[in-house]
């Protein structure tokens, strides 16, 4: 964060493709940022209760300067001009985010109370929300691109979600029964997990390429398949690849979870007169579900990233903006696809992690 104070924070260009000028912080803001960057680590030793507040303030200041610097740079500029975040701003946001994460992990046994630290570490969230709702970030080049391509963005975001949810749903439908089956057959478990591991080692782009020929041949041999959307390019190979990639975490965690239920618990259920099906649905599955859900969470986060390359075979998704930006050397378009994909992965991880915690607490009360 201290190094970020001395680097350029804004890149002003006459359009999205042209070279531009790098703008640094004013001296006053440089002093404020440097003081805050030094205050965060010192407070962790001298006054730990202040560390979450300072960390949240540092990240909040980064988002504020993101909007303020872009607005100032765009004064008297043409409509096609673009103001982008430069290395200093990105480095500051990264350092502040790490500080916020560290402050949020502080607990009563270490530096400060868990509840107090967690609340103050999230100070940046209402600040970012307020800046977004009031239009203070509207001059940022990425949001300008979003405003210009809003309908296409919503279309590709919906397609991205459709690919992820469909691939995850198919992986669970295939992997869940298969995990139950191999949990009772050690020999089959080694073979199935070995095959799933082998698929996971294939690079995603290579797997998409390998699927084009067989799916194209099927569509040619059976024209009815082409009518329902199955062909060598498009959604079919992308969805197939996503399903295959998601199988390993679903199978592996399901197997570990089901085998991890203590034999004594199963014996007690048998002693109560439960049938095999009753023991599975009422005892084994509820106890295994939190660990199994962890594998589904890993698969979901994995698919959010892998789905970004589906655009290469015409399946759409947020990769449309990433590859469009790469082809035209437009970094704003790359960020328009990359930032939402990263945020989507974080949101999915938080949502499913919260569900895991809820299940663990319910089982603990039971």
């Amino acid at each position: 964060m201290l190094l970020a104070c001395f680097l350029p924070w804004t890149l002003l260009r006459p359009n999205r493709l042209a070279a531009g000028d790098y703008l640094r912080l004013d001296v006053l803001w440089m002093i404020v940022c440097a003081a805050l960057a030094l205050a965060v680590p010192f407070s962790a030793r001298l006054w730990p209760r202040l560390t979450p507040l300072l960390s949240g303030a540092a990240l909040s200041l980064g988002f504020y300067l993101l909007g303020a610097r872009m607005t100032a740079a765009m004064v008297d500029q043409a409509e096609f001009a673009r103001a982008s975040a430069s290395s200093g701003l990105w480095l500051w946001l990264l350092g502040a985010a790490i500080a916020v994460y560290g402050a949020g992990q502080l607990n009563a046994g270490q530096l400060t109370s868990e509840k107090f630290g967690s609340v103050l570490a999230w100070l940046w969230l209402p600040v970012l929300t307020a800046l977004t709702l009031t239009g203070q970030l509207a001059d940022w080049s990425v949001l300008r691109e979003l405003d210009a391509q809003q309908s296409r963005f919503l279309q590709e975001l919906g397609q991205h979600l459709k690919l992820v949810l469909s691939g995850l749903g198919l992986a669970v439908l295939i992997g869940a029964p298969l995990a139950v089956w191999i949990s009772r057959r050690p020999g089959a478990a080694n073979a199935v997990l070995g095959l799933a591991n082998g698929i996971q080692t294939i690079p995603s782009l290579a797997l998409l390429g390998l699927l084009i020929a067989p799916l194209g041949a099927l569509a040619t041999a059976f024209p009815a398949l082409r009518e329902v959307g199955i062909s060598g390019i498009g959604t079919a190979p992308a969805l197939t690849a996503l399903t295959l990639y998601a199988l390993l975490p679903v199978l592996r965690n399901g197997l570990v979870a089901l085998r991890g239920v203590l034999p004594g618990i199963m014996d007690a259920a048998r002693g109560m007169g439960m049938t095999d099906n009753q023991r599975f649905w009422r005892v084994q599955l509820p106890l295994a579900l939190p660990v199994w859900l962890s594998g589904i969470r890993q698969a979901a986060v994995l698919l959010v990233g892998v789905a970004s390359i589906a655009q290469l075979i015409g399946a759409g998704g947020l990769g449309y903006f990433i590859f469009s930006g790469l082809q035209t050397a437009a970094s704003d378009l790359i960020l328009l696809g990359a930032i939402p994909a990263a945020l989507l992965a974080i949101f999915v991880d938080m949502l499913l992690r919260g569900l895991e915690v809820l299940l663990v607490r319910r089982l603990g009360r039971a």
Side-chain angles (χ1 to χ4, degrees):
M1 290 169 62
L2 187 61
L3 176 62
C5 301
F6 304 97
L7 294 174
W9 278 47
T10 310
L11 173 60
L12 179 62
R13 296 170 295 171
N15 55 64
R16 70 156 71 129
L17 301 178
D21 299 320
Y22 290 96
L23 308 177
R24 298 178 181 272
L25 284 176
D26 299 332
V27 176
L28 179 59
W29 278 118
M30 188 179 297
I31 295 173
V32 171
C33 291
L36 190 55
L38 292 172
V40 171
F42 279 108
S43 67
R45 290 185 174 274
L46 302 178
W47 196 4
R49 286 184 175 274
L50 193 60
T51 305
L53 176 62
L54 292 175
S55 301
L59 190 54
S60 301
L61 180 61
F63 288 124
Y64 169 75
L65 289 177
L66 173 63
R69 297 294 298 174
M70 303 306 146
T71 301
M74 291 298 293
V75 173
D76 298 328
Q77 297 295 324
E79 180 182 356
F80 296 105
R82 292 289 186 269
S84 308
S86 190
S87 56
L89 184 51
W90 288 121
L91 190 59
W92 176 273
L93 291 176
L94 175 61
I98 294 173
V100 165
Y101 176 79
Q105 299 303 304
L106 303 180
N107 55 50
Q110 294 177 340
L111 298 178
T112 185
S113 69
E114 183 179 357
K115 182 177 180 180
F116 184 80
S118 298
V119 171
L120 291 182
W122 284 88
L123 174 67
W124 60 271
L125 186 57
V127 173
L128 177 59
T129 302
L131 290 172
T132 303
L133 295 178
T134 56
Q136 300 299 311
L137 302 178
D139 286 318
W140 184 25
S141 58
V142 176
L143 293 184
R144 284 209 163 196
E145 293 293 347
L146 174 60
D147 185 62
Q149 304 194 52
Q150 186 173 4
S151 60
R152 184 60 186 262
F153 176 81
L154 293 175
Q155 174 187 338
E156 299 301 343
L157 177 61
Q159 177 66 7
H160 200 96
L161 287 170
K162 181 180 176 181
L163 288 172
V164 171
L165 294 177
S166 300
L168 183 64
L170 288 173
V172 172
L173 286 175
I174 297 171
L178 192 56
V180 174
W181 184 72
I182 63 176
S183 68
R184 302 167 183 174
R185 296 166 176 81
N190 293 332
V192 172
L193 285 180
L195 179 61
N197 271 306
I199 295 174
Q200 197 81 9
T201 60
I202 303 175
S204 52
L205 188 57
L207 182 58
L208 288 174
L210 291 173
L211 290 172
I212 290 176
L215 289 177
L218 279 174
T220 302
F222 304 97
L225 294 178
R226 189 179 299 274
E227 295 178 2
V228 297
I230 296 179
S231 62
I233 60 173
T235 302
L239 193 56
T240 304
L242 292 175
T243 302
L244 292 174
Y245 270 117
L247 275 178
L248 178 61
V250 173
L251 285 170
R252 182 181 55 206
N253 280 59
L255 180 63
V256 171
L258 292 170
R259 287 184 175 178
V261 178
L262 295 177
I265 297 177
M266 301 300 293
D267 290 340
R270 185 183 293 108
M272 294 173 63
M274 289 187 179
T275 64
D276 289 344
N277 286 335
Q278 288 175 329
R279 284 188 291 118
F280 174 76
W281 289 106
R282 297 183 182 181
V283 179
Q284 189 178 20
L285 183 60
L287 292 175
L289 200 55
V291 176
W292 205 341
L293 188 59
S294 176
I296 295 175
R297 173 173 56 84
Q298 295 171 18
V301 174
L302 171 69
L303 294 191
V304 172
V306 176
S308 297
I309 67 167
Q311 169 61 24
L312 290 176
I313 56 171
L318 292 172
Y320 167 81
F321 298 104
I322 296 175
F323 291 107
S324 295
L326 289 173
Q327 291 172 358
T328 59
S331 58
D332 300 333
L333 284 179
I334 298 175
L335 292 177
L336 184 57
I339 292 177
L343 294 177
L344 182 60
I346 294 172
F347 174 76
V348 169
D349 181 76
M350 291 176 60
L351 182 65
L352 294 179
R353 191 183 295 272
L355 185 57
E356 289 177 44
V357 173
L358 182 62
L359 285 174
V360 170
R361 288 179 180 174
R362 279 195 165 188
L363 291 173
R365 291 173 185 172

